[in-house]
Amino acid sequence: MCKNFIFSLGTTVFAFFPAISVQASQVELGVFKSVDAPKSNCPQKVIVTEQRAPYYEGGYTVNGQAKLSSFAQPFTLASFDRFSVTWVANLKPAFQKCVAAGGIIKYGNETYNSHSYLRVRFNGGKVYLILDMTGNRDVNNFTPSINKKSVSTGNPTWSWSGSD
């Protein structure tokens, strides 16, 4: 919770609004090979970036992007509804036989033990990045809202928000 401090000195009123960190966080998705294809060549992990927008009264917004060109061709938006977005890209030749799936295992420097709203799937020579708010809730028991879903220079970008 953000506290603002207002005080007066004579007839002058001073207000201090603390700076809120909007530093980007690396989000690490573990990649777990399928038991049916244990020897397939897959990336060991997927790193995406999320950053909280400056605080506003009543809620919060998180902006994200995935730059996955080390193993994938440019992404396109495959499907979406109000709760979920899926981006898809062809895998680069070295990874085309990868059969795996994964989810968030680390957020910033912290181990992540909650429901993974970001997931990845490797199958059929393609990689799918999924942002899914199904089953997630904010502190007021509302499902977070996906505000933006797009592709910028071949990279998935998104924005989601919740109430506080």
Side-chain angles (χ1 to χ4, degrees), residues 80-150:
F80 62 89
D81 61 31
R82 76 181 322 132
F83 301 109
S84 183
V85 181
T86 301
W87 294 268
V88 64
N90 289 320
L91 287 166
K92 289 188 173 178
F95 299 101
Q96 284 185 341
K97 293 187 181 186
C98 178
V99 181
I104 302 172
I105 60 170
K106 202 177 223 185
Y107 201 101
N109 294 324
E110 303 288 323
T111 300
Y112 188 83
N113 293 316
S114 297
H115 175 73
S116 184
Y117 60 91
L118 282 168
R119 294 187 305 278
V120 66
R121 191 171 71 230
F122 297 83
N123 194 36
K126 297 185 183 298
V127 58
Y128 301 84
L129 178 66
I130 302 112
L131 170 66
D132 188 4
M133 292 297 141
T134 306
N136 285 341
R137 61 184 174 165
D138 64 22
V139 297
N140 294 307
N141 288 322
F142 293 119
T143 300
S145 174
I146 298 173
N147 307 324
K148 181 181 116 179
K149 55 209 168 282
S150 63

